[in-house]
Amino acid sequence: VAGMAAGPMSGGGNSRVCRWWRWRRERRLLAPQGQTPLCTSWARLQLRRRLPCLVWLPRYSRTLFFIDVSTGITVGVVLIPQAIAYALLAELPPTYGLYSSLLPLAVFAPLTSSRHVALGPFALISMLVADSVSEIVHPTRTDEYCQAAVLLSAMVGVVHLLMAAVRADFMVSLLSDPVLAGFTSAASLLIGLSQLKHVVGFDVPRGSAVDMIRHAVAHVGELNPWALGVGAASFVSLKGLKTLNRRAFPWLRLPEQLVVVVASAVFAYATATDGAPLLPTVGRVPAGLPSPRWPVRGDSALVFALVRPALLVAFFSYVVTISVAKPFSLKNGYTI
């Protein structure tokens, strides 16, 4: 920096610093009359890169608004049971899934360059949060476990900000498509096994895939036939409605997730006897939003224990989001 500052004022007009200074003075500060200086164009470019909404918002039309409203209502209704399921997958109360689905969407919309990816909780990160936090705080200690999970989420946000500051997005280019495909396939298998306890109707402790299957087979006598039947019917209905939408009624596009969720809720309510449902349910969800507060107070040991999980969750959440956004951007002809 000292050399650059002293270079133009000293001798040696052919030095590299002097040439840089001359280019900056002639090309940026002395732009031709009637044209925008290059420094201003560079500032606008950087601002649009930081706020992509400045690019698409001026071209936003009324037609797109009504399409987004109808799509947003459908996605929002489906997001409610999904968020509750992701919270249970992370060993958290159902309300935490709803909380984590509200604010990220509002903040993410003006800052993202992807037109098809929505930010929020998803299955793989919920599993990583549960595995990471349960090693430090047992899930039965609900308050401490929830505080640790919230602190982990805040640390992941800080890591993402640091990654953006140092332009660490080059790491994704090092991952090939077969690696991402294998990663996604393995994650789907783990997610399916993690939901095994809800399908069979009894507790299946976390562990390896072989241990979980072995435990489920050994305790098959505790099987809840109602839970198994509703789980199997929901899976078949989802696949059937998706095929029906694609082949028979492409013009209608039934929201298959919404149909299955509503049908399952109606079935659970109709088969309840004396207020006790035959199926395990989430229960009453408290209304309103919690008051903002710090997750922990002066617990430096917990912060240091969550550093490694925060790095892991930040990396995988970024990789998964990019792996989902890239195919949509290539298909629709825009860059992210």
Side-chain angles (χ1 to χ4, degrees):
V1 175
M4 291 178 63
M9 302 300 296
S10 60
N14 292 327
S15 66
R16 181 179 301 176
V17 175
C18 289
R19 289 197 301 269
W20 173 85
W21 184 268
R22 194 180 302 115
W23 174 86
R24 181 178 182 273
R25 183 181 58 190
E26 295 176 357
R27 299 295 300 275
R28 290 193 175 188
L29 301 182
L30 302 179
Q33 187 176 4
Q35 296 185 12
T36 304
L38 295 181
C39 58
T40 306
S41 301
W42 179 86
R44 290 180 179 176
L45 177 62
Q46 295 301 317
L47 184 61
R48 291 182 179 182
R49 290 182 60 183
R50 297 296 185 270
L51 293 174
C53 62
L54 298 178
V55 178
W56 57 262
L57 194 58
R59 299 195 297 265
Y60 199 69
S61 62
R62 183 178 300 180
T63 303
L64 292 177
F65 172 77
F66 287 112
I67 294 176
D68 286 344
V69 167
S70 61
T71 306
I73 293 174
T74 303
V75 174
V77 172
V78 175
L79 183 61
I80 295 175
Q82 280 188 350
I84 293 175
Y86 293 151
L88 296 177
L89 186 59
E91 304 289 349
L92 291 168
T95 51
Y96 281 77
L98 298 176
Y99 300 154
S100 60
S101 302
L102 297 176
L103 186 59
L105 290 174
V107 177
F108 184 68
L111 299 177
T112 181
S113 57
S114 176
R115 306 172 189 173
H116 298 85
V117 174
L119 193 67
F122 51 96
L124 177 61
I125 300 304
S126 299
M127 286 188 58
L128 289 176
V129 170
D131 292 337
S132 302
V133 179
S134 59
E135 294 179 357
I136 304 171
V137 182
H138 198 271
T140 55
R141 299 158 58 185
T142 306
D143 293 337
E144 298 179 12
Y145 183 87
C146 292
Q147 290 185 3
V150 172
L151 177 60
L152 176 62
S153 301
M155 294 174 65
V156 170
V158 172
V159 173
H160 280 160
L161 290 176
L162 294 176
M163 292 173 62
V166 301
R167 301 300 301 271
D169 51 348
F170 70 91
M171 294 187 299
V172 179
S173 61
L174 303 178
L175 299 176
S176 60
D177 292 337
V179 172
L180 292 176
F183 173 78
T184 307
S185 301
S188 62
L189 292 176
L190 292 176
I191 293 167
L193 288 175
S194 67
Q195 299 301 294
L196 185 61
K197 61 182 180 181
H198 300 296
V199 176
V200 297
F202 59 86
D203 185 53
V204 179
R206 286 182 177 271
S208 63
V210 177
D211 292 338
M212 295 176 68
I213 295 175
R214 186 180 302 168
H215 180 87
V217 173
H219 296 77
V220 70
E222 305 175 16
L223 181 67
N224 186 340
W226 290 102
L228 180 62
V230 171
S234 299
F235 180 78
V236 173
S237 300
L238 282 173
K239 300 298 289 184
L241 287 174
K242 186 173 294 186
T243 304
L244 194 66
N245 279 334
R246 186 172 62 253
R247 296 182 179 179
F249 303 105
W251 51 271
L252 185 58
R253 299 297 300 173
L254 290 172
E256 56 267 12
Q257 297 95 341
L258 181 60
V259 172
V260 172
V261 167
V262 172
S264 302
V266 171
F267 178 81
Y269 179 79
T271 55
T273 57
D274 298 330
L278 297 175
L279 298 171
T281 59
V282 174
R284 179 177 293 275
V285 177
L289 296 175
S291 57
R293 61 187 178 91
W294 292 106
V296 292
R297 296 180 180 178
D299 195 348
S300 58
L302 180 59
V303 173
F304 285 112
L306 291 175
V307 170
R308 184 180 62 84
L311 295 174
L312 183 67
V313 173
F315 176 75
F316 279 109
S317 61
Y318 182 75
V319 169
V320 171
T321 304
I322 292 297
S323 64
V324 173
K326 271 190 172 181
F328 283 103
S329 65
L330 294 175
K331 181 179 179 180
N332 294 274
Y334 64 89
T335 58
I336 57 174

